[in-house]
Amino acid sequence: MLKRHDVIGEFKLATVAETRDVFEGVFGGGGAIIAAKAPGRVNLIGEHTDYNDGFVLPMAISHGVTIVGRLREDRKVRLRSLDYGESAEFNLDERYDASGPRWSQYVEGVARTFDEEYDGEIRGLEAALTGDAPQGSGLSSSAALEVAAGLLIDQLNGLGTGRVEIALFGQKAEHNYLGVKCGIMDQFASCLCREDHALFLDCRSLEHKHAPMKLRDEVALILDSGKSRGLADSKYNERRAACEEGVRILSGALPGIRALRDVSETQFEEFSRLLPDVVKKRCRHVVTENQRTLDSMQALLKGDMERFGALMFASHDSLRFDYEVSCDELDVLNELAEESPAVIGERMTGAGFGGCAVALARRDGLEDLKAYLSEEYFKKTGRRLKIYETSPARGAAIVD
Ligand code: GLA
């Protein structure tokens, strides 16, 4: 189905006022109506490390989800999507049956998670929503939806839930209601990122630091390959299972470990012979990616963008050859980027199997670079590349 806004950049996010107009058209005016916004994210480095208790370094982008809503007296939730021109409805007092359209299942998962966490005290609501992060592109449009819905539910019910908990509830919803065993990175980034900062997150302790990232001579680019992420969810769960198997086997030799986060590169070299080949490759990616993410944070703090870029390229190779979550299109892009002097670093971003790449490029020569990448990418894949300049945006907020 055609989505109203499936392209960043060509997209005009329905403003809060427009969303509110639709809301009032569908549900009527009056009462306390509030709006929440939550951004998507692009992950700079630290891929497939979050569910291994590891480190990630994402930043929020200026595209995401807007939701406008009002509390109801009963426990019904009525939703309207501007993008799909569709409505959905469920009742918190009835069992979840996954019968709603996919977009509504995210909101339903979050509402039900809040209800479980708050002992059945959540009231129903009606809401209209719209999004402008491309879907299925690895930019976390679903986490943005979960966080926006979470913030709205929290605010309407006057709960005062902390930001970290809102992120965790979003992740829980995805596990329990959408069947994707995702890590915490996307919801955390959507909830807690700051403008002009990347977010360094320890996914075990949830300690995080905001690393200043005000780009001057460089620019961050999102490169949308146009290849949508086919069977990404099932392959994602498979990768996760391979990591768990690796931990189980390695813990025979390294009894203290709980996750791949606990295995150093040296230990891995010593004991990787215990692992079956495929599991070994998967684990090698995670162990080396954790180190790259720690190194990238240091490079960012020192302003050493060349080092940062080199680590991005190394990350892509590891995702391509060891974790095997890249695809031809993303590899073509990576090779084109690697041979372009204006590119400092580039890698696929998000879960993979299609979607977007992220690049750090020099501002000088940017137009030539864009033209070169677009032309060559089209020649090699027959697909149109979409390129968007981006800078670190703020996390979710209640807006007027
Ligand atoms: C998806 C998941 C995240 C993370 C990335 C891969 O975006 O939602 O939790 O695992 O893939 O780094």
Side-chain angles (χ1 to χ4, degrees):
M1 180 191 298
L2 243 187
K3 285 158 216 134
R4 195 165 67 104
H5 309 306
D6 58 351
V7 184
I8 270 191
E10 288 166 18
F11 168 82
K12 281 199 218 94
L13 176 62
T15 59
V16 173
E18 281 174 88
T19 314
R20 193 183 162 120
D21 283 349
V22 172
F23 175 90
E24 291 186 355
V26 175
F27 302 111
I33 300 172
I34 59 169
K37 273 186 171 225
R41 62 99 190 93
V42 63
N43 189 19
L44 296 165
I45 198 160
E47 214 65 84
H48 289 280
T49 46
D50 60 352
Y51 52 84
N52 289 296
D53 277 3
F55 308 104
V56 293
L57 192 58
M59 64 183 226
I61 57 175
S62 50
H63 299 265
V65 168
T66 300
I67 186 164
V68 169
R70 176 177 60 206
L71 214 52
R72 289 173 60 93
E73 291 301 321
D74 58 14
R75 301 247 298 156
K76 263 192 203 158
V77 177
R78 297 179 64 207
L79 302 170
R80 176 76 186 174
S81 160
L82 275 68
D83 307 334
Y84 292 93
E86 248 176 359
S87 297
E89 192 172 312
F90 60 92
N91 190 324
L92 288 168
D93 286 327
E94 288 163 15
R95 285 176 72 87
Y96 179 66
D97 59 9
S99 61
R102 188 79 175 165
W103 60 265
S104 75
Q105 290 176 13
Y106 288 99
V107 182
E108 180 161 1
V110 172
R112 290 187 184 275
T113 303
F114 267 81
D115 200 44
E116 288 151 18
E117 297 288 334
Y118 287 100
D119 302 323
E121 296 283 305
I122 299 302
R123 276 169 59 189
L125 60 99
E126 38 221 5
L129 51 112
T130 180
D132 69 340
Q135 301 180 11
S137 294
L139 299 178
S140 294
S141 56
S142 32
L145 178 51
E146 290 153 11
V147 169
L151 207 54
L152 183 81
I153 292 167
D154 176 68
Q155 187 79 13
L156 285 175
N157 286 278
L159 303 168
T161 314
R163 286 281 163 143
V164 172
E165 279 68 36
I166 292 180
L168 287 167
F169 292 176
Q171 182 197 27
K172 219 169 176 181
E174 195 130 0
H175 284 203
N176 297 342
Y177 294 94
L178 282 305
V180 182
K181 299 280 173 210
C182 66
I184 188 60
M185 166 170 68
D186 305 343
Q187 293 82 1
F188 208 94
S190 182
C191 237
L192 286 113
C193 273
R194 280 195 196 149
E195 198 170 354
D196 291 329
H197 289 75
L199 179 85
F200 177 84
L201 171 65
D202 176 335
C203 299
R204 171 173 281 165
S205 65
L206 299 186
E207 273 169 34
H208 52 283
K209 284 186 200 128
H210 298 277
M213 193 173 160
K214 195 141 181 69
L215 299 172
R216 290 187 182 85
D217 301 334
E218 303 88 17
V219 53
L221 299 175
I222 293 173
L223 310 173
D224 188 344
S225 72
K227 165 98 193 295
S228 66
R229 298 172 33 204
L231 292 165
D233 291 354
S234 60
K235 290 188 192 153
Y236 183 92
N237 289 346
E238 244 172 67
R239 293 299 182 281
R240 191 171 176 144
C243 295
E244 280 160 13
E245 193 187 342
V247 173
R248 196 178 47 75
I249 299 171
L250 287 173
S251 63
L254 298 164
I257 65 168
R258 279 196 283 142
L260 287 175
R261 141 70 175 281
D262 300 312
V263 182
S264 69
E265 286 183 309
T266 323
Q267 286 171 325
F268 187 74
E269 266 161 42
E270 192 176 345
F271 296 111
S272 63
R273 62 186 156 73
L274 301 173
L275 302 171
D277 283 349
V278 171
V279 175
K280 187 196 293 183
K281 290 208 289 183
R282 306 295 186 252
C283 294
R284 184 167 55 210
H285 164 71
V286 176
V287 170
T288 57
E289 183 79 349
N290 269 329
Q291 190 56 49
R292 279 187 291 273
T293 308
L294 289 167
D295 294 346
S296 298
M297 176 63 174
Q298 290 314 311
L300 193 59
L301 292 176
K302 283 192 214 140
D304 186 349
M305 293 320 234
E306 299 298 323
R307 171 89 181 122
F308 195 93
L311 290 160
M312 288 173 84
F313 279 126
S315 168
H316 184 89
D317 285 347
S318 179
L319 289 157
R320 175 179 180 176
F321 297 111
D322 276 349
Y323 219 58
E324 296 182 284
V325 292
S326 187
C327 61
D328 291 348
E329 288 80 354
L330 290 168
D331 294 338
V332 164
L333 268 179
N334 185 255
E335 284 161 14
L336 291 172
E338 206 150 11
E339 65 200 30
S340 307
V343 178
I344 304 166
E346 194 265 9
R347 55 183 288 281
M348 55 149 278
T349 186
F353 310 105
C356 291
V358 57
L360 207 55
R362 290 173 233 289
R363 210 170 268 287
D364 204 18
L366 185 59
E367 290 314 309
D368 289 347
L369 173 69
K370 284 184 184 171
Y372 172 76
L373 289 178
S374 305
E375 261 167 49
E376 292 301 312
Y377 182 71
F378 183 69
K379 268 192 219 157
K380 295 197 152 86
T381 64
R383 289 178 190 272
R384 300 259 171 228
L385 179 66
K386 292 175 198 127
I387 306 181
Y388 310 108
E389 280 185 49
T390 183
S391 55
R394 67 186 279 203
I398 295 291
V399 286
D400 292 331

